[in-house]
Amino acid sequence: MDFRVLGPVQLRDGDREVDVGPPQQRAVLAALLVDAGRLVTVETLLARVWDDEPPAGARRTLHTYIARIRRLLEQAGDGPRLEHRTNGYLLDVDPDRVDLHVFRGLVDRARDASCDAGQRLAWLRTALGLWRGEPVAGLAGRWAAGVREGWRRRYLDAVLAWAQAEISTGNPGAVIGPVTDLITEYPLTEPLVAALMRALYAAGHPGEALDCYRDARARLVDQLGSEPGAELRSLQQAVLRGTPLASARPLPPALPAADTGTDTGGLGRPAIGPAAPSGGDPTGVPAQLPADVYGFAGRAAELARLDGLLASGAAEPTAVVVGAVCGTAGVGKTALAIRWAHRVRARFPDGQLYVNLRGFDPGGQVMAPGEAVRGFLDALGVSPQRVPSGLDAQRALYRTLLAGKRMLLVLDNARDAEQVRPLLPGSPTVLVVVTSRNQLTGLVAEGAHPVTLGMLTLDEARDLLARRLGVDRVAAGPAAVEEIISRSARLPLALVLVAARAATHPDFPLAALAAELRDTHGGLDMFAGTDAATNVRTVFSWSYQTLGPETARLFRLVGLHPGPDISAAAAASLAGVPVRRVRRLLAELTQAHLLTEHAPARYTFHDLLRGYAADLAYTIDPGDQRLAGVYRVLDHYLHTAHTAARLLAPHRDPITVAPAQPHVTPEDPGDYDGAVAWLAAEHPVLMALVALAARTGFDHHVWPMAWAMEIFLIRQGQGHWPDRIALWQAALAAAGRLDDLPAQAGAHRYLGLAYTDRYLHEPARAHFQSALDLVERLGDRVGQGHTHMAYGRLWQAQGRHAEALRHDRQALELYRLAEHRYGQADALNVIGWDCAQLGQHEQALIYCGEALRLLQELGDRYGQAVTWDSLGFAYRHLGQYEQAIACYQTALELNEGIGADYIDALTLDHLGDALEAAGDADAARSAHQRLAAVVERLDLPDADPLRIKLTRLDDAGPQPDDLPTASAGA
């Protein structure tokens, strides 16, 4: 059997084409073929076929398609096999039977510089002959579109390599027609134009080669407003002079790594066409690179050194290749790394990771390696609940996920080698680029490849200004250009800012700008080796002085925000203006390149600009006005976070929050999902704001903000326990400074719960005792009840159920005295569970029954579902299986629409066991199959025992997708 995806998806058995079925079934086959020989999870298949929005019953439909494809493959006897594995499927097929993988292999072999020219040409001709039109033609959806775009780029890459090979072997005429046709489709692709010019010139048509250049230049100027690049300009000059053309740049070598089979994004040259998606799977492949740099100029030698990293792993095939880009502030380290990363990103089909380590953040907020690892785990698709609680375990999981992946890792703005080492992968298939103002001598001594970045050359500086201001304007004032370059010390950051000022005033002669630099008495001469913020102030001021008074005020105030970014709504509260007005001000700042809108309605700026803005605020704005801005933005986040927390847990004991200051416009998350999304987006900002509030004397904000974040962080899983501990430590200190005893008690209790979840039992016990002492002094019976319940949780975690029962009984009595009905219901159910764990099942029924009646009166469906499960547990252990089964089924009905997947999983597991004990094997199997569907989408650490159990059940019987009712609970 042969498989074809470089065109319509086809399956051929010898000379016969096999009907693959309807489009969605073909999409399933294509989604497996691009990862032939590798496990593809069910979630990935659903996302690829239904664009992350699978309809009801999608899993059942997917299982049907899988079964049909398996039957088609079985017709080939000893041919390919579609195997079920835990959480997914693997298509076991020889890659040489899949045209996509054959194409890639041929092109990769042609990259080998040592291969014979004739052999290279033969390989490329064969590869291009596999192309039958649009890849995965006829398939709809974002994933299929991403596959097509990526493989178009790979095709163009192969065409360029083929054209180069044909010309070098004396056959330029074969190139002219095909490349001319491609230029019609990709008119702004300069490498195609260069290939056609070379072919025409080699075929004896220099006039047509010049016409080709003129046509290309007209298109570029008309549609992009830019001149042709250096390669086209040098080709034009060579044709005009009649001299031999410079050799075309050789095709970069393939990565010295094992093929992963997941290249759905293409490996084409990044100069070809628009940027391709990072991979075929829009949700499964991280693509974190920032936008490419506008007007990038020069750095050819440094880019070539970075290109050399692609082949450097051949000498040490087991070593991780690390490139260390070093240089002074503002020299363009990040710009170089990002430009190169975009050029080669298609060589890394498993994705690109990027992080700004903030090593020289003016606010001193250097990113801890653990925070970077946590962000990478999110990008790699690890749900928060599955993140291990310990930093060492998180790093181990991070390295495991990178193992064998062809990925690019960019660690930007590193402080030193110590910050970088914990982030280095263990797999040689991952290439790492680090940027830093330090030399990173330690990393270089350990094998990193240094790329030291100095000032631009004179020619590169002129090119930078010409790209941003136009060739004609730069040519009109050569003396002024030379002085600007000289007085800017050929520093890219300074030159970009000069160009921005010149561009906003096209009627200003460049000589006037040169005179302004001359009047600064040294300007940037002291930039190298000193604090950059104090040396670029004059250049920054040019952009700042173009702002209106209101916009300039906003710029200064944003410098007081701790970052890492700010939303438009938060900026409105910070400035005390309506959101509609602040959007206009933010637009002006982004147009002046003083802010960057890195995500919709979210803004950030360079650390030098942040420091400059803060300096201006402390210089210009009176202290009371600065504090008023901080007060407003703290109120904004506090009130929005409080609303979000109430949406997440409406039955939680409320807290009192002081009214917001005038001109504060908190956001409305709307519903549960909106609350989760807002808290997830603002999580790093909220953490920084708690520290800011504590540092600036706004202690009244600290405890409520910690309270608002607590429920979100708990539901995000154990990976966030350091944040919980940090928050409640700050809240405890702030409550102490305020001499607020209730807040201190609450902070002690929440801090103890965080330590309990971290399995740090002794400090948890100490904080619970401190909390209990305080609430007893205050006579706070509800607080005492909460604290005894927390104590019970600590004892439960240690398996000491008798001690847990004692504290939970005390909590119940206290809740009754305080007439706290939710507390009573919670305590009654927990007491029932304690009794069941101690074998007192009759007592468990009494307590849980009382809890259920109270929860029904209160209308708490979640609490009722949990209690019905507890009742079922007690009935089952009493041998009353019919009652147990009825309890579990009621719990499942109540859970519908609540999103309590974990309770669903536990209840289905308990239901299956009860049915099995009752002798109903078929119903038990059905319950466990429904459990499999829930566990498949469930991602909590405590679900591991259920997975182990399901694996045992799978081993004992048919696979779930082979059974008629496999998807009944999907």
Side-chain angles (χ1 to χ4, degrees), residues 286-290 334 337-338 341 352-357 372 375-376 379 408-413 433 435:
Q288 292 190 316
L289 293 179
T334 298
I338 296 306
Q352 312 90 41
L353 297 173
Y354 170 88
V355 65
N356 178 5
L357 295 173
F376 286 152
L408 177 63
L409 173 61
V410 180
L411 306 175
D412 193 21
N413 197 16
V433 174
T435 74

Side-chain angles (χ1 to χ4, degrees), residues 18-32:
V18 178
D19 183 5
V20 182
Q24 283 187 337
Q25 186 167 309
R26 294 202 305 273
V28 173
L29 178 59
L32 292 164

Side-chain angles (χ1 to χ4, degrees), residues 39-57:
L39 176 70
V40 184
T41 67
V42 171
E43 295 299 333
T44 297
L45 288 172
L46 291 170
R48 290 178 177 179
V49 177
W50 284 283
D51 280 346
D52 303 317
E53 298 176 357

Side-chain angles (χ1 to χ4, degrees), residues 303-393:
L303 288 169
R305 293 196 66 182
L306 289 173
D307 285 342
L309 297 176
L310 297 172
S312 60
E316 294 285 344
T318 62
V320 177
V321 177
V322 180
V325 179
C326 305
T328 190
V331 79
K333 302 178 295 296
T334 298
L336 175 71
I338 296 306
R339 167 51 61 96
W340 183 79
H342 277 280
R343 284 180 47 180
V344 302
R345 67 175 184 171
R347 288 179 173 271
F348 301 91
D350 291 323
Q352 312 90 41
L353 297 173
Y354 170 88
V355 65
N356 178 5
L357 295 173
R358 305 197 301 267
F360 297 88
D361 188 278
Q365 297 176 3
V366 178
M367 180 179 288
E371 181 182 352
V373 168
R374 185 68 178 77
F376 286 152
L377 291 177
D378 290 342
L380 291 166
V382 180
S383 69
Q385 295 86 355
R386 291 291 295 165
V387 175
S389 58
L391 294 179
D392 289 341

Side-chain angles (χ1 to χ4, degrees), residues 888-906:
Y888 291 140
Q889 289 172 337
T890 303
L892 291 171
E893 292 172 3
L894 284 166
N895 264 337
E896 290 182 5
I898 296 179
D901 280 351
Y902 186 48
I903 298 302
D904 258 352
L906 291 176

Side-chain angles (χ1 to χ4, degrees), residues 53 155 741 884 889 922 957:
E53 298 176 357
Y155 176 71
L741 297 185
Q889 289 172 337
D922 290 340

Side-chain angles (χ1 to χ4, degrees), residues 67-89:
R68 291 175 182 172
I69 293 170
R70 182 178 288 148
R71 285 195 292 271
L72 290 175
L73 300 180
E74 288 171 352
Q75 296 172 5
D78 295 332
R81 299 184 306 278
L82 180 53
E83 300 177 358
H84 178 269
R85 302 286 178 85
T86 302
N87 297 328
Y89 297 90

